Amino acid sequence: MIRIAVCAPSTPIAEEDARRVLTLAAAEFPEIELSVHPQCFAIDGHFAGNDEQRLDALVECANDPSFDAVWFARGGYGACRIAEDALRRFGPAAESKAWLGYSDAGYLLGALYRERIGRPVHAPMLGCIRRDGGADAVRRVLRFVSGEDTGLDSALDQRPAVAFNLTTLAMLCGTRLMPGLASHVVMVEEVSEHLYALDRLFFHATAHLGGIAGLRLGRVSDIPENDRPFGAGAEEIARYWCKRHAIPFLGPADIGHDAANKIVPFGVAERAQGQ
Amino acid sequence: MIRIAVCAPSTPIAEEDARRVLTLAAAEFPEIELSVHPQCFAIDGHFAGNDEQRLDALVECANDPSFDAVWFARGGYGACRIAEDALRRFGPAAESKAWLGYSDAGYLLGALYRERIGRPVHAPMLGCIRRDGGADAVRRVLRFVSGEDTGLDSALDQRPAVAFNLTTLAMLCGTRLMPGLASHVVMVEEVSEHLYALDRLFFHATAHLGGIAGLRLGRVSDIPENDRPFGAGAEEIARYWCKRHAIPFLGPADIGHDAANKIVPFGVAERAQGQ
């Protein structure tokens, strides 16, 4: 039996979404036991409970040796407020776990990777069940945890990789949560940002990414219309800033805020062997 | 005669706005001669001309010894793309000038302050003429350049200060444009950001502001409505992050994206003596 704990370091999920995923998992993945922490449904303003509640639930999941993985329920915003305190309270049981999520969960994945705690993995979240095709996104994660490697981003090679939402990565830069990324392939995706804001985020992030192996651009989706055209597309923007900082632009990544979002284990992916 | 060059490192202004400010200056400030560079009206996608045009106009204004000040026409976005190249091309004539602007112009003010080139000044811009009460914002700047100190932020004291748009400051952190701010009073303002994004920007910026004398919060305006309340207001957010990083929270600053936006000379303001 593979046991997965679900907690929500950022924003809450609906009980209905949890039920759908539990039903899917019970029907199709009998070897997996999902344990959704009640904190996932707590509401405190923007967050899934206040900082202390989210922190306590995360630490509880991390330090329970019976869990093989911690799956973050949903992004939004909030993980950066508790990440540093959480890691301080993680015990040895945290080190054997896979940690799965993306978007706002990137603050935790980055900090875990920095401290070499377990296996951080960019992956769809439970809340993705709401997306068109969301059931397949959930299946991709459960298959990965079961040891299959079919859901990995096909661009992964023998070089260590990480994947981040660009805003999350930009905000991580220079903080105590930021992992060293020298010689890494860095994949980024973005959602709901104007192209001028994308350009600004690349200005900032690329200034911090000297020494990486290269950058791959995932999907940049739901770009709001501005009062005038920016004058360049997302890939052109990425290439411009890569060039300014002598960062190799390596092409697309198959990640983004959508159900097709592929899996990127931080570090070197162990193919054939799965997670 | 005090000669002020106006150029647009970010986005363009309308000719009508320039005419209004030229008329006001001619009528009320006969000792000032405003020279609006034609590049201010250039349009290239989002920007007031492409990077090369904006860079050339800025360098031309900087290196013309007949100008006492360079006034940035308008914010928006774009100054970070040319700031580094511009400063490399600035000659000795740049060092005797005042540099006036805010918002996106903060990338240049920050870089100029870092390199101790002239006197960077947080101040309304020519394009502010469009705001309600914009004529008074323009008069505030022209009076300041004339040597009056009536438009200074009343919170300024004997400690060195800087003022930034929070997004601009967050994006500056860790880049080659970022000035050292140890022992400075740092004033920030924000516009058109969700409260969760404000919280995120404070997470990032305060992680880079260790050693400052303290933080003052200007106006946080035009906050978009989110699908749910954040649960804390702007000041509470600022206090939270200041506390986490042991940064003294010093209270409000009289700056913001509005016509009441006061003047903050970078460094120690020379009162009584004006600029």
Side-chain angles (χ1 to χ4, degrees):
Chain A
M1 182 64 71
I2 300 166
R3 296 192 74 232
I4 306 176
V6 182
C7 64
S10 310
T11 62
I13 52 171
E15 302 210 21
E16 165 63 16
D17 295 340
R19 271 195 298 272
R20 285 177 63 193
V21 171
L22 287 167
T23 303
L24 183 157
E28 302 180 28
F29 297 86
E31 75 280 18
I32 289 181
E33 186 185 312
L34 274 178
S35 173
V36 179
H37 198 290
Q39 173 268 328
C40 292
F41 314 116
I43 296 175
D44 187 289
H46 185 86
F47 306 108
N50 63 27
D51 288 354
E52 196 182 342
Q53 287 173 287
R54 303 197 316 285
L55 177 61
D56 285 347
L58 173 58
V59 170
E60 186 186 323
C61 295
N63 290 342
D64 185 332
S66 75
F67 290 124
D68 304 290
V70 176
W71 193 18
F72 301 121
R74 191 180 159 202
Y77 172 70
C80 70
R81 294 171 63 106
I82 60 168
E84 212 177 321
D85 286 344
L87 264 66
R88 259 196 292 269
R89 286 171 52 188
F90 283 6
E95 289 165 29
S96 57
K97 287 180 171 59
W99 305 85
L100 303 121
Y102 80 112
S103 190
D104 194 66
Y107 295 103
L108 283 163
L109 299 180
L112 288 160
Y113 192 58
R114 172 191 174 114
E115 304 295 337
R116 296 291 185 268
I117 298 172
R119 285 156 294 133
V121 180
H122 167 103
M125 294 180 285
L126 186 149
C128 295
I129 192 72
R130 290 215 159 199
R131 298 188 187 282
D132 274 351
D136 283 340
V138 166
R139 286 186 188 103
R140 191 177 308 125
V141 175
L142 298 180
R143 284 190 189 120
F144 175 79
V145 176
S146 303
E148 292 186 39
D149 64 2
T150 50
L152 298 185
D153 192 314
S154 62
L156 293 171
D157 55 28
Q158 287 313 305
R159 294 175 289 191
V162 292
F164 285 103
N165 170 262
L166 179 60
T167 296
T168 305
L169 178 60
M171 294 296 109
L172 273 174
C173 290
T175 72
R176 287 181 252 181
L177 307 178
M178 178 73 172
L181 296 179
S183 305
H184 282 63
V185 174
V186 177
M187 302 176 173
V188 294
E189 54 83 27
E190 192 50 277
V191 64
S192 303
E193 293 288 347
H194 286 100
L195 286 174
Y196 73 81
L198 188 79
D199 199 75
R200 193 166 61 190
L201 289 165
F202 268 117
F203 154 74
H204 183 67
T206 53
H208 290 265
L209 294 178
I212 67 170
L215 185 132
R216 282 189 176 276
L217 184 63
R219 286 176 287 282
V220 177
S221 55
D222 293 340
I223 302 170
E225 267 211 53
N226 204 359
D227 51 0
R228 57 193 186 284
F230 182 72
E235 183 179 323
E236 196 178 338
I237 290 170
R239 286 182 181 274
Y240 172 90
W241 287 106
C242 281
K243 193 173 172 195
R244 281 188 62 152
H245 291 280
I247 294 169
F249 181 79
L250 302 175
D254 194 7
I255 61 171
H257 270 68
D258 50 50
N261 185 28
K262 294 300 192 300
I263 288 171
V264 180
F266 281 30
V268 177
E270 299 172 37
R271 272 173 198 283
Q273 198 184 330
Q275 51 159 317
Chain B
M1 181 64 71
I2 299 166
R3 298 191 71 231
I4 305 176
V6 182
C7 63
S10 310
T11 62
I13 52 171
E15 302 211 20
E16 166 63 16
D17 295 340
R19 270 195 299 271
R20 285 178 64 194
V21 171
L22 287 168
T23 303
L24 183 157
E28 303 178 27
F29 296 86
E31 75 281 16
I32 288 181
E33 186 186 311
L34 275 180
S35 173
V36 179
H37 197 291
Q39 173 267 327
C40 292
F41 314 116
I43 295 174
D44 187 290
H46 186 86
F47 305 108
N50 63 28
D51 287 354
E52 196 183 343
Q53 288 173 288
R54 303 197 317 285
L55 178 61
D56 285 348
L58 173 58
V59 171
E60 187 186 323
C61 295
N63 291 342
D64 185 333
S66 75
F67 290 123
D68 303 291
V70 176
W71 192 17
F72 300 121
R74 190 180 160 201
Y77 172 70
C80 70
R81 293 171 62 106
I82 61 168
E84 212 177 322
D85 286 344
L87 264 66
R88 259 197 292 270
R89 287 170 54 188
F90 283 6
E95 289 166 29
S96 56
K97 287 180 172 57
W99 305 86
L100 303 120
Y102 81 112
S103 190
D104 194 67
Y107 295 103
L108 283 162
L109 300 180
L112 289 160
Y113 192 58
R114 171 189 175 116
E115 303 295 337
R116 298 290 186 269
I117 299 172
R119 285 158 293 132
V121 181
H122 167 102
M125 295 181 284
L126 186 149
C128 295
I129 191 71
R130 290 212 160 200
R131 299 188 187 282
D132 274 350
D136 283 339
V138 165
R139 286 185 188 102
R140 191 177 308 125
V141 175
L142 299 179
R143 284 190 189 119
F144 175 80
V145 176
S146 302
E148 293 185 39
D149 66 2
T150 50
L152 298 186
D153 192 314
S154 62
L156 292 170
D157 55 28
Q158 287 312 304
R159 294 174 290 191
V162 292
F164 285 103
N165 169 263
L166 179 60
T167 296
T168 304
L169 177 60
M171 295 295 110
L172 274 173
C173 291
T175 72
R176 288 181 251 182
L177 307 177
M178 178 74 173
L181 296 179
S183 305
H184 282 64
V185 174
V186 176
M187 302 176 173
V188 294
E189 54 83 26
E190 193 50 274
V191 65
S192 302
E193 295 287 347
H194 287 101
L195 286 174
Y196 73 82
L198 188 79
D199 198 75
R200 192 166 62 190
L201 288 165
F202 268 116
F203 155 74
H204 183 69
T206 53
H208 290 265
L209 294 178
I212 67 171
L215 186 132
R216 281 190 175 275
L217 184 62
R219 285 175 287 283
V220 177
S221 55
D222 292 340
I223 301 169
E225 267 210 54
N226 204 0
D227 52 0
R228 56 195 184 283
F230 182 72
E235 183 179 322
E236 197 178 336
I237 290 169
R239 286 182 182 274
Y240 172 89
W241 287 105
C242 281
K243 192 173 173 196
R244 280 188 61 151
H245 291 280
I247 295 169
F249 181 80
L250 302 174
D254 194 6
I255 60 170
H257 270 68
D258 51 50
N261 184 29
K262 294 299 193 302
I263 288 171
V264 180
F266 281 30
V268 178
E270 300 172 36
R271 271 171 198 285
Q273 195 185 333
Q275 50 160 319

